[in-house]
Amino acid sequence: MGDFSWVLVGLIDAISLAVIFLFGCIGETINEKAGNLNLGIPGVMCIGAAGGAVGALVYMKTIYKVLPIDIDAISFSFGSLVSYILLMLFVIIFVTIFAGLSGLLFSFLTTSLKANQNVTGLALTTFGAGFADFIMGLIRTTENKPLFTIASKIIRFHLPFNEAALGQAGMLLLGNGLFVYLCFALAIVVFLVLNKTRIGLSVRAIGENPATADAAGINTDKYKYFATMIGCAIAGFGGFFYTMSHVGGTWENSATLQGLGWMVLALVIFTVWNPLLAIVGSVIFGFLMSLPYVIPGIGFVEMELIKILPYAVTIIVLIFTSILGKKNVLPPGSLGVNYFREER
Amino acid sequence: MPEKMTAKKEKNKLFHVEKRFDMPLWQSLLIRFGFIVVALFIALLILTISYGVNPFAAVGQMFIGSFGTPKRFWDFFRDGALLLGVGLALIPSFKMKFWNLGGNGQIIVGALVSAILMIDLGGKLPDAVVLLIMIPSSILAGAVWAAIPAIFKALFNTNESLFTLMMNYVSVGLVNAFIMFKYPIGSHIIPRLNNANFPTLFNDSLLIILIVLVLLAFMVYYLKFSKHGYELSVVGESMNTARYVGINVKKVIIRTIVVSGAICGFIGCLLASGVDFTVMPTTGNNMGFTAIIAVWLAKFNPIITAATSFFIVFITRGMTKVQSDNNIMNDATPNLVIGLIYFFIIGCEFFIEYKLLINKGGKEMKITEFIKSLFTSKVDKVKLPPATEGVEEEEVK
Amino acid sequence: MKKTVEKEISVRFENITKTFGSVIANEDITFDVYKGEILSLLGENGSGKTTLMNMLSGIYFPDEGQIYVNGEKVTIASPMDAFRLKIGMVHQHFKLIDVFSCLENIVLGIKDKEKADMRKAAVAVNEICNKYGFELNLAKKVYELSVSEKQTLEIIKVLYRDAEILILDEPTAVLTPLEIRNLFTVLKNMRKDGKTIIIITHKLNEVMEISDRVAILRKGQYIDTVKTSETNENKLTEMMVGKKTTLNIDRTEPVNVQDRLLVEHLNLRNMDGTKVVNDVSFIARSGEILGIAGIAGSGQRELLEAIAGLKPGYRGNVIFNRPKKNLPVSFFHKTYAQVVNMAKNGAFHYEDGTPVSFDGMSPKKIKDLVNSEKVLFNEDEVYNLRNLNPRKIRELGVRLSFVPEDRLGMGLVGNMDLVDNMMLRSYRKGKGSKLNRKKPEALADEIVKELDVVTPNIHTPVRKLSGGNVQKVLVGREIASSPKVLMAAYPVRGLDINSSYLIYNLLNKEKEEGSAVIFVGEDLDVLLALCDRILVMCQGQVTGIVDARTTTKEEVGLLMTSTEKEEEVKENA
């Protein structure tokens, strides 16, 4: 038997990627469950990243000056706890507003103005990428850059467990920042809301058959708006987590994040529109993504081929679900189609 | 009161929307133009606020960016032609209501096959021979890449938008793997390939432009005057009608997408052997997506696609110039502006396709004229057919 | 009108009028429904039953008139208003979400938190089931349900919303006899419970069996309400179809009648496996119009679609007898060797009668000669069209035209102009890949001129034309190929009087020119005046073929609604 410790290393790396995927996947799942095939999700994630960065900067320029946090200190004072909570609030509010507004834009164009969803989504991706790069260009001045690094450290802060005591496996479970746990909890919450509540039932009904939902007295437009906005806001956190945690508060350009955003679309199919499966799926995707870098002695070509795996697996899932035609794993019935009541 | 109560109806909604079929072309063009101007205005406003750009100078810079020097001039037309080429490839599939989001991938596999042949055969065989092998091979590669999702769509109704989307990333992965395979050491970039380059005419661009123009003519013929084009339109409009006249729907789906993929593959070949002289994971620069917007804005009309493609390239190149002239160290400007313009044009389609009736004191009135009169005063005389007929029955459905 | 004092009025319609464009769906309708009764709403297709009930359930809103519920004036502007008034309707097309479980479908859209709670709902729904005798596994997904289970689910859905007034639109249309029995038991239980039930139907035997009273509508007008115990099927039929009105349709005696199309034991199941065409056999003859009468959905559409080659996988035979007349040769399906061989055997001749010899001619020359349509042949050919698609049928040289019910969804392409629609049938003609628009343009011009199609020009998308003009374009194209068999499904539906007459005349003209015309209609007066023979279908079966010149509306009306009488009348033709 060989040494498989790299699996653990890969998983630790995978968790960070998985959070990006999972936020995006939950968001897009909500979108698609309400019948919106939102190809703008990569753009939404970029916009979320920009929102998070703005939020962090505002915090650094205001609160942090009053209540600084010494991230290396073992003990946490009350002041730094308040400061920490405020930072979390700041970024959550900013990401929600930025990404939520992009969702509002998408649903305004597709639901109210009946624009084609594919085209609107692609436009949103173009715009979102441009917007994020633009905002980042504005705020990431030389003097501001160190502030993002500090903010990122605080965001990544985890309880000071001792790696020696917990071991690598323990760190894998406990040594993550707050957003990692928030994300996994959110997946469970969204699953429950979608599948166990009245609101979730209405959302799914609209995604399956808006005419029937309409006849049952559900306000389809309202639900579509809210589902898209909430979905996009959640997806936005994927982008935020990418820039403020995964890459430590840096930003080169939106290309990498966009690439991850497209993988999110694959992941939604791979996990057959189920947020619980998405937890597993995002870890698998994250693991596959980090695999090339952790398998010892892997060749470059194999490395690249492994990177194709997530997409290839997704295609296979897509094909199998369509051949089997089992209705509960098929895409929502009216996915990508706008509902216009007066069209019979 | 009892008698009038019935007229109350379900008129508590503020807006009421219905489809329209009757807008004259000039009017719809005017609306589109108006929205584009507004979008540009807002974009320039953003640049003015954030970077102090002079908006009037910026308009001039945009033109200079596209036409300022002979090189820019030719590059503008080459880029526009390439985008048009991809658009032409996508039109048949979209007319058939097959959402081919896989243009990127189909371009990339075409480029990949070209690059492989340029590397492996270039210099060993005469350039002309390599080209003769290369062009059909790239076309074939693109066709196969598109045929895979099409076959599954035809047989199992597998969702084509998601499938083609995934194929894009598989193709990117293949390119990366190939580069790693061939150039395992160093910066993993293929050096400029000097053998078996695409022939040129006067300069690098003209031949490509001419080829795309031929393609344009072909596509106009194919869609409008060929039996294939007719069949795919019927399938796109109504599967039932297609079956009613005995069209083999599965065959038409696969055939049409193969045509789409083949042209994309050829564009990939042009890119690899005539523009980039290499293949990269970013070959095509997402033209497969950009072209979707171009053809959609053109309502799948090949000739109008030429206009929209060149317009998109104009904005992109123009904004790049604005950015560099104003020392904006932010290469996001073109994307931001283009994205903004997309939204405005996408949104304005609503006002072209639908009539918006506003409910004022229980009475419904058209507000399209009102909205239009905000932009221009000329349209006051535009008389729309009365909307009263049919409104009653539709709104209660 | 019979008003019984002791009974409480549940619903009152007062002077209800509803129009769609120029069509009057309901005109000045006034009647009462009593609490705790089962009322049948009887009428032919298009008599306005469903429209009237849709106004009660909030789908439509009346143009004029007033609805009272439990004695109070009400405004029902949406389905939600109807729910609030405890009115529930089970539509003919179920409004269910396939991937949801039964229970999820039941609570969908309910605003009340208590009622929408799944666990509580499950208990309450089970109570309803026990009370009325429904059997339904609530955990099952809708796509796993049979048609009757779906209907049960729809009824439970309505009951769970505390409906006191239930409307069922053609509830038995999709059920087997046993399921109908169960449904009736349930309905009687509900009546016992004091619910008001309105059944839209046209099946007389069921009306007699289940209802307390019958309200009859005819052509949008209210005729009468009678007690079931004081009437019989014949009286009801008469009220439903009305007295025979004379129509000015010229009907010529058939000449040169030949058996053209033989349909033998045709059986067809639809997607979910129910039999829609049940062992149908008949002969359509040249020079004759064969009418097909029946309640909508009795399998007429499927039958025509099967013959036209649109429903592959049916059982039975469709035999086409090629006329013995001289016809231009077409050889889509033959090799050159076969053609030359047939010529050797004297199969072909020129217009003047001299035999054709292809000996020594190049394939191209033969082809040109054939394409010039100067070469004729007089072979008597019999083809079995079973499970051939429309294209194969054409390629056999069988000229079978079909005017489908769904004009813009099947017969024509709405977004294409007249010329391109003309091409639908003929675009494959000619060599090479190029379309030839010359002939279709000429045809479009001709049709516009001959049939007075109102259109700006021949390059207008047909979607922009009015219904009558759309139909002229479709029928015009279908008869342009001088068909040997012409099938038309509801060709005058939604057309005004003038356009209708134009269509009748066109059908007559085709008949006189020797075509075998099959006409599916809904207006019995028209069927009686236009056709030579009438085939009556009921629930996918042929219940009779009668002589249109001697039969009566009542006879046809009874055949349309009876399932047991087919044996006696089958050989009437």
Side-chain angles (χ1 to χ4, degrees):
Chain A
M1 294 297 271
D3 174 21
F4 280 103
S5 63
W6 58 268
V7 173
L8 212 56
V9 179
L11 271 175
I12 290 171
D13 204 20
I15 294 289
S16 176
L17 275 164
V19 173
I20 304 169
F21 288 142
L22 189 51
F23 271 128
C25 182
I26 300 168
E28 177 68 6
T29 300
I30 297 174
N31 266 288
E32 293 194 14
K33 276 286 177 191
N36 281 342
L37 178 59
N38 190 347
L39 295 183
I41 226 67
V44 170
M45 288 170 72
C46 292
I47 292 172
V54 171
L57 186 65
V58 172
Y59 163 82
M60 291 304 290
K61 293 251 176 179
T62 56
I63 311 288
Y64 188 76
K65 289 209 167 127
V66 188
L67 292 169
I69 298 174
D70 181 6
I71 196 70
D72 298 319
I74 294 294
S75 67
F76 231 142
S77 68
F78 179 73
S80 20
L81 185 64
V82 171
S83 182
Y84 176 80
I85 292 172
L86 282 173
L87 170 62
M88 290 299 157
L89 276 178
F90 264 69
V91 293
I92 287 175
I93 290 168
F94 271 85
V95 172
T96 306
I97 290 175
F98 273 56
L101 282 180
S102 71
L104 178 66
L105 185 62
F106 183 86
S107 45
F108 175 67
L109 287 170
T110 58
T111 307
S112 290
L113 298 190
K114 329 271 180 219
N116 179 293
Q117 293 184 10
N118 289 329
V119 175
T120 311
L122 290 174
L124 183 53
T125 291
T126 309
F127 174 79
F131 178 80
D133 281 333
F134 188 80
I135 294 288
M136 293 300 196
L138 274 179
I139 62 172
R140 292 182 62 82
T141 55
T142 323
E143 56 163 322
N144 281 349
K145 273 184 186 165
L147 300 181
F148 288 106
T149 317
I150 300 170
S152 167
K153 271 193 183 151
I154 305 172
I155 286 165
R156 284 210 280 190
F157 171 80
H158 59 82
L159 293 174
F161 297 113
N162 192 336
E163 185 171 342
L166 288 172
Q168 273 190 327
M171 288 303 283
L172 181 68
L173 285 179
L174 298 170
N176 299 299
L178 178 67
F179 274 96
V180 177
Y181 303 104
L182 277 183
C183 177
F184 288 103
L186 189 66
I188 297 167
V189 171
V190 169
F191 173 82
L192 292 176
V193 170
L194 276 178
N195 291 293
K196 303 286 171 200
T197 69
R198 204 157 43 102
I199 293 167
L201 191 68
S202 302
V203 169
R204 285 185 295 135
I206 290 163
E208 288 295 337
N209 189 338
T212 298
D214 195 16
I218 296 169
N219 186 339
T220 52
D221 283 5
K222 191 175 94 184
Y223 272 91
K224 275 206 163 194
Y225 263 95
F226 277 104
T228 315
M229 283 167 66
I230 292 168
C232 286
I234 293 174
F237 282 95
F240 153 76
F241 191 83
Y242 165 78
T243 168
M244 292 310 294
S245 175
H246 188 67
V247 292
T250 63
W251 181 265
E252 206 172 313
N253 59 46
S254 58
T256 317
L257 182 55
Q258 241 194 85
L260 296 175
W262 291 116
M263 282 196 75
V264 162
L265 287 163
L267 185 59
V268 174
I269 307 160
F270 179 68
T271 56
V272 293
W273 296 269
N274 182 335
L276 283 189
L277 288 179
I279 297 178
V280 185
S282 62
V283 174
I284 293 175
F285 268 40
F287 188 63
L288 286 176
M289 288 284 286
S290 58
L291 208 50
Y293 306 105
V294 295
I295 298 180
I298 186 175
F300 284 129
V301 179
E302 289 81 357
M303 206 161 148
E304 293 302 330
L305 289 177
I306 287 173
K307 283 191 201 162
I308 302 179
L309 270 179
Y311 304 109
V313 174
T314 304
I315 289 175
I316 292 167
V317 169
L318 199 58
I319 292 172
F320 268 94
T321 51
S322 68
I323 292 179
L324 291 176
K326 271 193 75 183
K327 296 224 179 179
N328 48 354
V329 293
L330 282 182
S334 77
L335 185 61
V337 185
N338 291 333
Y339 174 57
F340 181 39
R341 191 193 280 191
E342 256 126 75
E343 259 168 21
R344 279 169 307 120
Chain B
M1 174 69 185
E3 201 185 77
K4 272 294 130 198
M5 243 187 91
T6 53
K8 229 187 91 192
K9 307 210 158 181
E10 196 198 0
K11 284 196 178 162
N12 41 6
K13 274 191 348 191
L14 186 59
F15 295 109
H16 174 73
V17 171
E18 65 184 59
K19 256 209 150 97
R20 73 187 307 155
F21 304 112
D22 48 11
M23 183 173 284
L25 184 70
W26 66 268
Q27 199 181 332
S28 66
L29 289 179
L30 196 67
I31 292 182
R32 290 192 181 100
F33 184 74
F35 271 80
I36 290 171
V37 169
V38 173
L40 258 181
F41 177 77
I42 293 176
L44 290 175
L45 200 68
I46 293 173
L47 289 182
T48 307
I49 292 168
S50 51
Y51 288 104
V53 172
N54 177 347
F56 300 104
V59 175
Q61 285 155 0
M62 286 179 73
F63 279 94
I64 294 168
S66 289
F67 310 110
T69 65
K71 169 142 176 54
R72 286 202 197 121
F73 179 86
W74 285 110
D75 281 359
F76 167 76
F77 279 102
R78 185 197 62 201
D79 285 5
L82 286 169
L83 183 58
L84 169 60
V86 182
L88 293 174
L90 297 181
I91 290 175
S93 44
F94 287 169
K95 271 204 108 156
M96 206 179 57
K97 306 240 161 83
F98 180 105
W99 281 97
N100 182 3
L101 306 183
N104 286 344
Q106 291 147 25
I107 293 169
I108 286 175
V109 289
L112 176 62
V113 166
S114 285
I116 292 174
L117 292 174
M118 283 160 81
I119 292 166
D120 283 355
L121 299 181
K124 292 175 194 141
L125 293 172
D127 278 3
V129 177
V130 179
L131 276 166
L132 279 180
I133 301 172
M134 196 167 83
I135 295 171
S137 309
S138 311
I139 291 177
L140 185 71
V144 168
W145 210 245
I148 298 168
I151 289 168
F152 282 100
K153 170 75 179 180
L155 294 182
F156 307 111
N157 199 21
T158 308
N159 186 315
E160 77 278 9
S161 13
L162 301 173
F163 200 140
T164 47
L165 198 59
M166 294 304 112
M167 293 296 277
N168 290 339
Y169 301 104
V170 178
S171 66
V172 170
L174 290 183
V175 169
N176 280 326
F178 169 74
I179 295 174
M180 290 301 176
F181 175 69
K182 275 281 177 190
Y183 303 91
I185 300 160
S187 61
H188 309 303
I189 291 172
I190 306 179
R192 189 186 194 282
L193 300 170
N194 289 316
N195 289 314
N197 287 354
F198 206 76
T200 56
L201 200 66
F202 295 120
N203 58 37
D204 289 352
S205 307
L206 186 59
L207 186 62
I208 292 175
I209 296 167
L210 290 178
I211 287 175
V212 173
L213 286 181
V214 171
L215 204 59
L216 173 62
F218 165 76
M219 198 43 79
V220 171
Y221 167 81
Y222 187 76
L223 292 171
K224 188 79 184 140
F225 301 106
S226 81
K227 292 175 181 172
H228 284 188
Y230 183 72
E231 283 182 331
L232 72 89
S233 307
V234 175
V235 170
E237 291 287 344
S238 162
M239 293 261 191
N240 262 337
T241 308
R243 291 198 188 95
Y244 164 77
V245 293
I247 291 174
N248 184 338
V249 174
K250 291 186 169 79
K251 193 176 108 187
V252 172
I253 289 180
I254 296 171
R255 185 183 70 203
T256 306
I257 302 309
V258 162
V259 170
S260 251
I263 299 176
C264 282
F266 178 63
I267 301 285
C269 171
L270 286 181
L271 283 170
S273 65
V275 179
D276 301 334
F277 308 105
T278 184
V279 65
M280 306 165 285
T282 54
T283 290
N285 202 7
N286 274 343
M287 273 200 295
F289 290 153
T290 314
I292 291 173
I293 299 180
V295 300
W296 187 80
L297 293 178
K299 294 276 177 290
F300 312 135
N301 178 319
I303 292 170
I304 301 179
T305 303
T308 53
S309 304
F310 282 107
F311 174 74
I312 292 172
V313 172
F314 170 75
I315 297 289
T316 314
R317 296 186 74 90
M319 277 299 156
T320 313
K321 177 74 178 150
V322 171
Q323 177 184 301
S324 63
D325 276 7
N326 293 282
N327 295 320
I328 303 173
M329 299 299 287
N330 193 335
D331 51 3
T333 324
N335 268 345
L336 181 77
V337 175
I338 245 338
L340 209 62
I341 292 177
Y342 287 159
F343 286 138
F344 272 80
I345 315 183
I346 291 167
C348 92
E349 292 303 309
F350 171 80
F351 296 98
I352 292 162
E353 277 182 40
Y354 295 91
K355 238 180 283 198
L356 186 65
L357 301 169
I358 195 161
N359 182 12
K360 205 174 177 187
K363 221 183 142 189
E364 279 188 339
M365 52 185 264
K366 282 169 283 177
I367 63 158
T368 33
E369 281 143 315
F370 172 69
I371 290 174
K372 269 175 279 160
S373 67
L374 291 180
F375 297 112
T376 125
S377 54
K378 275 193 295 183
V379 285
D380 284 348
K381 62 176 187 286
V382 175
K383 208 145 166 81
L384 295 165
T388 43
E389 196 184 321
V391 173
E392 313 283 280
E393 78 188 68
E394 271 177 316
E395 70 160 336
V396 271
K397 161 72 226 291
Chain C
M1 211 182 293
K2 301 168 180 72
K3 278 193 182 167
T4 1
V5 190
E6 70 268 24
K7 284 203 172 160
E8 202 180 323
I9 293 171
S10 171
V11 181
R12 162 173 285 177
F13 296 95
E14 199 174 87
N15 309 111
I16 299 287
T17 297
K18 177 75 188 169
T19 56
F20 295 105
S22 59
V23 182
I24 301 170
N26 287 143
E27 193 176 359
D28 197 21
I29 291 178
T30 303
F31 71 94
D32 296 334
V33 186
Y34 299 136
K35 200 169 161 46
E37 75 167 347
I38 297 180
L39 177 99
S40 289
L41 194 56
L42 184 69
E44 286 183 295
N45 298 309
S47 57
K49 301 165 294 196
T50 304
T51 308
L52 184 66
M53 287 304 118
N54 276 340
M55 285 189 273
L56 187 54
S57 65
I59 309 262
Y60 297 145
F61 197 88
D63 296 340
E64 279 167 43
Q66 179 65 50
I67 296 175
Y68 297 80
V69 173
N70 297 326
E72 278 177 43
K73 254 184 210 170
V74 291
T75 309
I76 310 172
S78 72
M80 287 316 281
D81 289 349
F83 293 152
R84 251 171 260 134
L85 292 165
K86 304 196 170 180
I87 300 167
M89 180 156 171
V90 176
H91 295 271
Q92 228 176 335
H93 302 283
F94 302 138
K95 293 188 188 299
L96 297 168
I97 289 178
D98 267 0
V99 296
F100 280 13
S101 71
C102 295
L103 194 60
E104 285 174 327
N105 266 291
I106 290 169
V107 300
L108 182 67
I110 289 180
K111 299 275 189 289
D112 183 87
K113 271 198 183 127
E114 282 283 298
K115 285 206 91 160
D117 183 286
M118 291 285 224
R119 228 168 284 146
K120 286 176 191 155
V123 177
V125 170
N126 273 326
E127 261 170 38
I128 293 177
C129 290
N130 292 337
K131 188 168 166 191
Y132 298 112
F134 295 111
E135 274 176 38
L136 191 64
N137 180 352
L138 293 177
K140 258 194 185 176
K141 298 269 186 326
V142 168
Y143 61 81
E144 298 169 319
L145 301 183
S146 69
V147 186
S148 81
E149 284 174 313
K150 283 182 194 172
Q151 187 183 57
T152 306
L153 175 58
E154 284 278 17
I155 296 175
I156 296 174
K157 218 169 101 181
V158 167
L159 289 174
Y160 186 66
R161 288 160 191 243
D162 297 320
E164 287 299 321
I165 302 161
L166 273 93
I167 310 159
L168 297 120
D169 192 357
E170 309 271 4
T172 59
V174 291
L175 302 183
T176 65
L178 182 68
E179 288 163 348
I180 292 176
R181 208 135 301 281
N182 289 337
L183 174 69
F184 283 179
T185 315
V186 168
L187 291 183
K188 282 173 184 160
N189 286 341
M190 293 200 282
R191 172 173 59 186
K192 221 180 286 168
D193 202 40
K195 310 243 183 232
T196 309
I197 297 160
I198 305 174
I199 301 180
I200 302 177
T201 183
H202 45 243
K203 292 183 185 164
L204 292 173
N205 53 346
E206 291 167 7
V207 169
M208 297 305 292
E209 184 184 338
I210 186 81
S211 58
D212 301 306
R213 295 190 311 144
V214 192
I216 299 118
L217 295 186
R218 184 170 74 222
K219 293 185 178 162
Q221 288 180 330
Y222 172 70
I223 303 300
D224 199 2
T225 303
V226 293
K227 274 195 176 160
T228 316
S229 53
E230 293 166 7
T231 186
N232 60 41
E233 294 196 15
N234 284 334
K235 280 189 197 162
L236 286 175
T237 307
E238 201 187 300
M239 283 194 277
M240 183 167 84
V241 298
K243 290 273 176 286
K244 187 175 156 62
T245 48
T246 31
L247 288 164
N248 260 336
I249 303 174
D250 297 326
R251 173 164 53 192
T252 53
E253 284 300 315
V255 284
N256 193 15
V257 175
Q258 293 170 1
D259 292 355
R260 178 67 64 237
L261 191 75
L262 283 79
V263 174
E264 296 175 343
H265 304 295
L266 200 148
N267 285 280
L268 177 68
R269 286 171 190 280
N270 69 7
M271 295 269 270
D272 45 274
T274 45
K275 223 170 192 179
V276 280
V277 178
N278 191 351
D279 200 35
V280 166
S281 300
F282 68 91
I283 298 171
R285 298 179 181 134
S286 62
E288 247 193 25
I289 297 182
L290 173 71
I292 297 185
I295 301 300
S298 302
Q300 307 96 311
R301 199 188 80 204
E302 288 82 357
L303 174 63
L304 293 205
E305 287 186 1
I307 295 170
L310 297 174
K311 296 270 176 195
Y314 61 83
R315 286 189 292 127
N317 294 312
V318 176
I319 311 285
F320 178 80
N321 276 345
R322 177 171 229 145
K324 282 174 188 159
K325 265 166 69 180
N326 293 334
L327 276 178
V329 181
S330 58
F331 292 121
F332 293 104
H333 61 301
K334 292 196 169 65
T335 64
Y336 289 111
Q338 279 175 323
V339 172
V340 173
N341 216 17
M342 284 169 77
K344 267 196 190 123
N345 298 330
F348 314 122
H349 54 88
Y350 292 108
E351 279 160 328
D352 59 2
T354 48
V356 176
S357 168
F358 286 145
D359 281 346
M361 281 190 195
S362 70
K364 189 180 173 327
K365 193 144 186 222
I366 295 177
K367 209 171 163 188
D368 288 346
L369 211 53
V370 168
N371 281 342
S372 72
E373 304 205 338
K374 280 181 184 136
V375 177
L376 306 174
F377 85 134
N378 59 1
E379 198 183 12
D380 189 16
E381 284 187 86
V382 173
Y383 298 109
N384 193 345
L385 307 184
R386 180 175 61 192
N387 293 331
L388 294 183
N389 73 31
R391 182 179 184 168
K392 294 247 169 62
I393 293 175
R394 290 260 149 166
E395 285 178 355
L396 281 176
V398 172
R399 283 184 303 206
L400 178 126
S401 285
F402 177 32
V403 179
E405 182 181 352
D406 186 2
R407 288 159 209 164
L408 286 176
M410 184 181 260
L412 299 168
V413 178
N415 282 328
M416 288 185 174
D417 65 8
L418 271 69
V419 177
D420 281 11
N421 271 295
M422 288 303 132
M423 277 196 309
L424 272 173
R425 285 289 193 194
S426 60
Y427 75 94
R428 290 189 196 90
K429 273 189 195 150
K431 280 173 286 182
S433 66
K434 194 176 179 319
L435 286 174
N436 183 353
R437 281 201 172 78
K438 285 265 157 55
K439 279 188 187 170
E441 265 169 22
L443 179 60
D445 270 331
E446 195 185 317
I447 288 175
V448 168
K449 221 174 287 161
E450 297 272 308
L451 305 184
D452 287 324
V453 178
V454 181
T455 171
N457 57 54
I458 56 171
H459 295 293
T460 307
V462 292
R463 152 177 71 80
K464 290 189 181 175
L465 306 185
S466 73
N469 287 307
V470 166
Q471 185 67 326
K472 286 180 196 170
V473 171
L474 175 55
V475 173
R477 184 193 70 206
E478 288 302 296
I479 61 180
S481 58
S482 34
K484 289 294 138 192
V485 177
L486 170 64
M487 304 191 289
Y490 306 109
V492 297
R493 183 178 280 175
L495 268 56
D496 61 32
I497 287 289
N498 287 331
S499 306
S500 301
Y501 271 92
L502 186 104
I503 301 290
Y504 303 143
N505 290 340
L506 286 175
L507 295 179
N508 263 325
K509 206 174 120 228
E510 285 309 301
K511 160 186 163 182
E512 281 156 29
E513 283 178 3
S515 172
V517 180
I518 301 177
F519 168 81
V520 178
E522 42 199 349
D523 189 330
L524 288 184
D525 288 324
V526 171
L527 279 162
L528 289 175
L530 177 71
C531 303
D532 297 292
R533 290 181 301 142
I534 297 173
L535 179 152
V536 189
M537 288 185 78
C538 181
Q539 294 183 4
Q541 292 180 324
V542 176
T543 48
I545 299 178
V546 295
D547 186 338
R549 286 178 174 75
T550 56
T551 190
T552 60
K553 271 174 99 172
E554 287 68 30
E555 186 186 6
V556 177
L558 278 178
L559 287 171
M560 277 162 60
T561 49
S562 71
T563 40
E564 284 105 41
K565 299 191 175 95
E566 77 255 44
E567 293 310 318
E568 320 151 27
V569 271
K570 205 154 198 174
E571 298 310 314
N572 263 13

